[in-house]
Amino acid sequence: MISKAKGTYDVLPNESHKWHTLEEKARQICVLFGYQEVRTPIFEYKEVFHRQNEQSDMVTKETYNFMDKGDRELTLRPEGTAGVIRSFVENKLYVETPLNKLYYIGPNFRYERPQKGRFRQFSQFGVEAIGSNDPALDAEVIGLAYSFIQKLGLKGVRVRINTLGDNESRAAFKAALKNHFEPHVDTLCEDCKQRIDKNPLRILDCKIDGQHPAVVKAPTTQDYLNDFSKRYFQSVLTYLDVANIDYEIAPKLVRGLDYYTHTVFEIEADIEGFGAQNVLGGGGRYQSLVKELGGPDLPGIGFAFGMERLIIAMESENIAFEQDPRTDIFFIATDANARTQALKLLFESRNQNMVADMDFVSTSFKAQLKSGLKKNAKYLGIIGETELQNKTISLKNTETQQQEEVPLKIAIRSLKDWLGK
Ligand code: AMP
């Protein structure tokens, strides 16, 4: 037997309705907020993700890279934003409208150590709003994430927010971190030793050095913000208050990607058994990514939720998912002629928007009945010898146990009436 690849999972038939529920709610919230779906490829040219300024572990260590037969270097996308921006730039979406509000749902790939809520193939629902520096847009994007969580019915959820400031503030913060970590260089992990010069921000979310005393005591962004960045952040918070969005300020939050400036945020849940993977989603503002990918100098802001974690969170809070609709009518036929008749009705029922089925394996009455009951059908439509002779069908309501023999001609109409369809 060949098993699934490490870090992947199957969505089995009895679980797919959970995904439908989540995807449907994501689409609904995006419609309410005026975001349109964009679907970009699962693989891109390597340089979409592997950029000079991007030194995060996710990109440098966790991507799946491969050459195709034409010797092109490709990368399976590890996240959604870079591909969406590549598409935004390539298709010049900025020409038509100054602000593009986009969303996506789909799989990403990261070579990580699998554990609960952490996979090598996982799905994200994310949004990107590209083209405005208005801090109100930050509140809108955070508001969308917040409303989504509320509409899912998740309770123990917090929005944590911070700012990295503009490029100047970020540079000052980076310099401060460098000074702070230099005396500790010998005690940091091999990667962090390199990071001190290249990108000290990444030391703060290092998986090895996360609890290192120097990391715990590291300076926070707040002390290095210039006036503009402080005012910007204050406006975002004011707008969040206006929009009635609860949040907490998290001075140590920096997020794992290098393209963020100004606002960064995460949505966290206290969920039993979740362990370290309690972040449901996160995002932030990026000032230079569009330009870096060859586009105009336009800012963007976005976030992404991990769909698997949302499902785990909903399961652990016992939130009901929308079930697939019940079978309306299940046909049972006792011989070949009856079966032809049943098949005709089966197709007619579906044409009339009834969820209809029959048994394609068993021929005995008993076994077919069992199949119908297992399907939890609302009605059984039985065609036996008598019905065949009388040109009728016996329709049995499985809840009331009432059975009525009706002429074939009016069978579909009667069913529709009884089902209220
Ligand atoms: P990131 O793109 O790293 O900011 O992640 C955003 C969200 O995607 C996280 O909060 C998780 O919910 C989800 N996520 C990221 N990596 C994984 C993974 N390996 N497995 C499952 N979910 C993930």
Side-chain angles (χ1 to χ4, degrees), residues 129-406:
I130 315 155
S132 167
N133 264 321
D134 186 346
L137 186 63
D138 301 41
E140 150 148 317
V141 167
I142 296 169
L144 194 162
Y146 188 76
S147 300
F148 178 60
I149 286 294
Q150 290 198 318
K151 295 215 176 204
L152 291 181
L154 285 168
K155 296 263 158 24
V157 176
R158 286 182 304 276
V159 176
R160 302 174 66 238
I161 183 168
N162 193 20
T163 179
L164 301 175
D166 61 6
N167 283 334
E168 185 186 83
S169 311
R170 235 184 106 115
F173 179 52
K174 269 168 95 166
L177 284 177
K178 198 171 161 219
N179 284 339
H180 171 78
F181 283 121
E182 257 161 6
H184 305 280
V185 63
D186 292 341
T187 61
L188 293 173
C189 77
E190 285 311 308
D191 285 335
C192 285
K193 286 192 173 102
Q194 308 294 320
R195 288 174 176 139
I196 288 190
D197 283 325
K198 278 203 282 188
N199 193 347
L201 238 83
R202 291 285 69 83
I203 300 177
L204 300 177
D205 50 29
C206 173
K207 285 178 187 143
I208 299 169
D209 280 339
Q211 295 309 314
H212 189 293
V215 172
V216 175
K217 281 201 220 103
T220 55
T221 54
Q222 271 74 14
D223 296 332
Y224 303 92
L225 299 175
N226 57 20
D227 283 348
F228 173 73
S229 301
K230 277 186 197 156
R231 275 202 310 276
Y232 191 96
F233 191 48
Q234 197 44 58
S235 305
V236 174
L237 299 182
T238 306
Y239 289 132
L240 286 174
D241 291 336
V242 168
N244 253 333
I245 295 164
D246 291 331
Y247 59 85
E248 59 188 57
I249 297 176
K252 282 182 180 287
L253 180 67
V254 291
R255 305 273 307 136
L257 284 155
D258 282 334
Y259 50 57
Y260 289 120
T261 39
H262 287 294
T263 316
V264 285
F265 65 98
E266 278 183 353
I267 313 255
E268 223 181 56
D270 290 326
I271 284 156
E272 227 176 290
F274 238 50
Q277 317 308 322
N278 65 345
V279 181
L280 298 177
R285 182 169 269 285
Y286 42 90
Q287 297 303 111
S288 50
L289 186 61
V290 180
K291 209 166 155 202
E292 241 181 85
L293 284 164
D297 192 5
L298 289 174
I301 174 162
F303 70 76
F305 279 112
M307 302 282 270
E308 295 78 6
R309 290 195 199 168
L310 289 172
I311 289 180
I312 299 173
M314 287 172 74
E315 282 169 347
S316 72
E317 288 195 11
N318 287 322
I319 295 171
F321 294 89
E322 275 162 41
Q323 294 289 340
D324 288 339
R326 253 177 85 182
T327 302
D328 290 318
I329 170 81
F330 191 92
F331 293 99
I332 296 173
T334 53
D335 70 13
N337 287 336
R339 207 172 152 74
T340 310
Q341 204 51 258
L343 201 71
K344 187 166 181 273
L345 290 176
L346 177 67
F347 278 90
E348 272 184 46
S349 325
R350 290 167 176 166
N351 284 342
Q352 295 295 319
N353 291 323
M354 286 183 270
V355 182
D357 218 336
M358 66 187 273
D359 192 326
F360 292 94
V361 177
S362 309
T363 48
S364 85
F365 177 81
K366 221 173 132 189
Q368 291 181 64
L369 179 64
K370 214 171 141 192
S371 305
L373 295 177
K374 199 166 168 210
K375 278 261 177 195
N376 194 19
K378 294 179 194 165
Y379 282 88
L380 299 172
I382 304 157
I383 309 182
E385 241 171 79
T386 323
E387 287 87 359
L388 209 54
Q389 262 174 16
N390 298 347
K391 291 195 170 46
T392 57
I393 179 168
S394 294
L395 296 173
K396 179 169 182 174
N397 181 320
T398 56
E399 263 150 46
T400 63
Q401 303 300 323
Q402 271 181 350
Q403 183 165 323
E404 199 170 316
E405 194 179 339
V406 300

Side-chain angles (χ1 to χ4, degrees), residues 110 112 117-119 122 124 255 279-281 304-306 309:
R110 296 183 195 172
E112 293 193 89
R118 187 170 289 285
F119 305 93
F122 63 97
Q124 283 184 336
R255 305 273 307 136
V279 181
L280 298 177
F305 279 112
R309 290 195 199 168

